Amino acid sequence: MMVRACVLMTCLLVAVPLLAQRDGVVSQIMPPPPPPPPPPSRDATLARTQAVPIGTGSLGGTVVAADTGRPIRGARVTVSGTASGGSAPAGAAPAGARNVVGGIAGGSTVTLGAIAQSASSGPGLTRNTITDEQGQFLFEAMPSGQFTVNAILSQYLPLAYGQKGPGRQPAFIRMAEGQRVSITLPMQRGGVITGTVYGEDGAPAVNAQVRLLRYVSNAGMRRLQQTGGSSTDDRGVYRAFGLTPGDYIVATTPQANDMMLADRVATDAAAFQRALAAARASQRPGSAAPSVVTLPASTVQMIDGRPVEQGGFAPTYYPSAISPGAAMTVAVSAGEERSGVDIRVVLVRAGSVTGTAFGAPEGTRVQIAMVNESPEAEQSYLGAQVGLEGRFFLRNVAPGQYTVFAQTVPVPSPSTNGSYVPPPPLTGEQRLWAKASVFVDGQSSPSVDLVLQPGRSISGTVALDMASRSDASRRMTVALLTTPGPVQLPQYGPLPEAVVDTEGRFAIPGVGPGRYTLRITGGGVVRSAIVNGEDILDAPLVLAGDRDVTGVVITVTDKPSGLTGTLSDASGSPAADYSILLVPAESRYWTPGSRRIQMTRPDMSGRYTFRTVPAGDYLLAAVSDIEPGAQYDPEFLKTLAGAALRVSIAESAVATQNIRVSQ
């Protein structure tokens, strides 16, 4: 992965745990969402209120096209941030912004409805507007505080003020009371990839679906995900636009309707020929030729009374590859059009997988997911629900090695008076799972039998390193978090958890196979979670589902280690437009999703804080630009280590390290 970051000044770093992050970064497949509750009544909608802090400043500017400088009309501009109620440092407007002299006296809060809130309490602020004919926008009555500004318009890439590139960190605008700030937002058009899809016979492929794929970093794991698409016209031409700059893999899946129709006709014709041959074979000598033949009621495979169509093809990747690893990438820049990206389809039959899941307990149903075991494959799941007889069918499966995973989920509750009633959570005895490995070649339809088995338990004790120990454990719950891995098994619904008893013991039932770590809710911070002498906060607990895990010791403290300080520029003013990167000095912790690798942004005063950090030695660096996920890239961290400062964080102590950046 190519990484670009500008290290302006380095200092020691402390790690903040990524437990909360792990909730967001692990891809999970979920059951269909419940029906939404009925919309609120008109009177209830009108009764909603929102406190909006106001002040005496203004924030405005112009949105222009980056390539021509032409004003852009109709862009939606959003300002969001936190009001401070105090004065920002003199000269706090960002580079590139113009301070305009003037202002009106006073500062207060305007209330939309009946709820008032003091601006001095630091309320959040979000306001929107649309640019006029001259591309101009203006937010009046702005309070002092720290804000970001974003612009969106369909033909252009989303823009945040101060970004070094699409998807990068924005710059903060720090405003004092009465200050007038004017900025320019140059929006870039997205890239374009266009070409023609040709069938195997060389003719243009009409109505072929084209998908654009990119490798994205998810907690340091590179995964291939779809990020755009198009379809071909009557000439076989596709055009995908609005693309973020980067490298793309272009894939197409030809329409299978004609081939499926031909298959159906051939199947029906073959059934007739078999019936005719059988009728003639049963004819007695000298008797009249049969006038009727008996055909089967259906020549189509049926599951739970529904027809299962065969057919479909695996994707072809530009230019004519049958796997993402063999495809050529297409690089596109902002506003660039890459033409001639033509694909010659290779007709590779997609396969199908049938199976049966046995042993679902009452009150549950079974959800099936199939995951490609290749790390180069697209990270998406093929899913199905098990039918009435325990059978399932997965179609249009590209050739490859897969894991078929089954898991019980609750049966939806009937609605009451049109309101959604969530189903009760599964008990440990109801949490069953099964998995099997299957190879799909596109020529046959493998079948798998899945015998559901109970999940295992994770048990142990919670040790308290807290000032008040008397009843702290009574409020605690031990919960599981999934951690990223090369091949991620899906998890349906919430993971099991357990309440800690008065003796500090816990037992989490019904845990299926996967990669996990543990967290505590209800008080304190987890310092360590030791299983067989290893801290699973740094090395995930990998469960195969074949045995219980016992003897876990979780240490909880109310005195977490941390790091704080200020970030200032060469003149001593706050430098809030940088990211502060915290990295463990030991490279063995440079792993995807590591809790010891953290980033934060300073506030408007330049102060930064890492609140919960494992004790140890760290590297600290202020960077002006970093690609998403680059903080987990070992190659990038090696370059960082040579320039970063070092800091040591003691157990239950908060270290202080001020940073001054130099241009």
Side-chain angles (χ1 to χ4, degrees), residues 21 58 116 135 241 243 326 361 390 515 578 661:
Q21 268 189 318
S58 67
F241 59 91
L243 303 178
R515 295 164 55 92
Y578 303 99
V661 298

Side-chain angles (χ1 to χ4, degrees), residues 173-227:
I173 296 176
R174 302 182 298 279
M175 294 185 63
E177 192 64 50
Q179 187 175 20
R180 294 186 178 182
V181 175
S182 180
I183 62 176
T184 300
L185 297 173
M187 299 191 74
Q188 295 179 321
R189 290 186 179 274
V192 175
I193 295 178
T194 182
T196 303
V197 176
Y198 296 98
E200 194 174 43
D201 58 359
V206 179
N207 293 327
Q209 298 301 307
V210 177
R211 295 176 300 121
L212 274 70
L213 312 168
R214 291 188 69 189
Y215 282 103
V216 298
S217 179
N218 190 347
M221 300 296 301
R222 294 183 73 239
R223 303 181 186 277
L224 192 62
Q225 295 183 357
Q226 181 175 344
T227 57

Side-chain angles (χ1 to χ4, degrees), residues 89 237 264 274 308 334 345 355 386 447 454 459 470 556 587 638:
V237 176
R264 174 70 68 84
R274 287 194 298 272
V308 176
V345 169
V386 169
S447 180
S459 61
S470 58
V556 179
S587 59
K638 287 178 183 178

Side-chain angles (χ1 to χ4, degrees), residues 580-600:
I580 301 175
L581 181 58
L582 182 66
V583 180
E586 294 185 64
S587 59
R588 66 189 178 100
Y589 295 122
W590 297 354
T591 57
S594 171
R595 63 173 180 147
R596 296 174 183 261
I597 299 176
Q598 298 293 326
M599 280 201 306
T600 190

Side-chain angles (χ1 to χ4, degrees), residues 515-528:
R515 295 164 55 92
Y516 301 100
T517 189
L518 299 172
R519 69 173 179 181
I520 290 285
T521 61
V525 173
V526 178
R527 175 183 292 165
S528 61

Side-chain angles (χ1 to χ4, degrees), residues 63-322:
V63 178
V64 300
D67 53 351
T68 65
R70 179 181 59 83
I72 297 177
R73 172 193 177 188
R76 189 182 77 182
V77 182
T78 301
V79 59
S80 58
T82 303
S84 64
S87 297
R98 294 186 292 111
N99 288 295
V100 183
V101 178
I104 57 176
S108 60
T109 298
V110 62
T111 302
L112 306 181
I115 300 177
Q117 184 174 4
S118 169
S120 62
S121 64
L125 177 148
T126 300
R127 292 172 60 187
N128 297 276
T129 191
I130 301 294
T131 56
D132 62 16
E133 295 281 353
Q134 289 73 44
Q136 295 180 346
F137 65 93
L138 178 64
F139 295 100
E140 297 184 288
M142 285 290 295
S144 62
Q146 178 171 283
F147 307 100
T148 59
V149 180
N150 296 267
I152 297 176
L153 189 61
S154 57
Q155 308 95 300
Y156 296 86
L157 297 174
L159 174 67
Y161 177 78
Q163 280 181 322
K164 300 296 192 299
R168 305 296 179 86
Q169 292 281 359
F172 289 117
I173 296 176
R174 302 182 298 279
M175 294 185 63
E177 192 64 50
Q179 187 175 20
R180 294 186 178 182
V181 175
S182 180
I183 62 176
T184 300
L185 297 173
M187 299 191 74
Q188 295 179 321
R189 290 186 179 274
V192 175
I193 295 178
T194 182
T196 303
V197 176
Y198 296 98
E200 194 174 43
D201 58 359
V206 179
N207 293 327
Q209 298 301 307
V210 177
R211 295 176 300 121
L212 274 70
L213 312 168
R214 291 188 69 189
Y215 282 103
V216 298
S217 179
N218 190 347
M221 300 296 301
R222 294 183 73 239
R223 303 181 186 277
L224 192 62
Q225 295 183 357
Q226 181 175 344
T227 57
S230 181
S231 61
T232 61
D233 59 18
D234 59 323
R235 302 165 299 167
V237 176
Y238 72 92
R239 179 181 171 86
F241 59 91
L243 303 178
T244 301
D247 295 333
Y248 289 84
I249 292 175
V250 185
T252 185
T253 303
Q255 291 286 340
N257 294 341
D258 292 342
M259 186 66 72
M260 291 171 63
L261 178 59
D263 286 350
R264 174 70 68 84
V265 171
T267 300
D268 291 344
F272 176 79
Q273 291 298 327
R274 287 194 298 272
L276 179 61
R280 287 173 173 172
S282 62
Q283 180 183 1
R284 294 193 302 271
S287 63
S291 60
V292 176
V293 297
T294 302
L295 293 174
S298 174
T299 59
V300 179
Q301 181 182 1
M302 307 289 289
I303 289 184
D304 294 329
R306 292 176 297 176
V308 176
E309 294 284 0
Q310 304 291 331
F313 297 96
T316 300
Y317 302 89
Y318 170 74
S320 289
I322 61 174

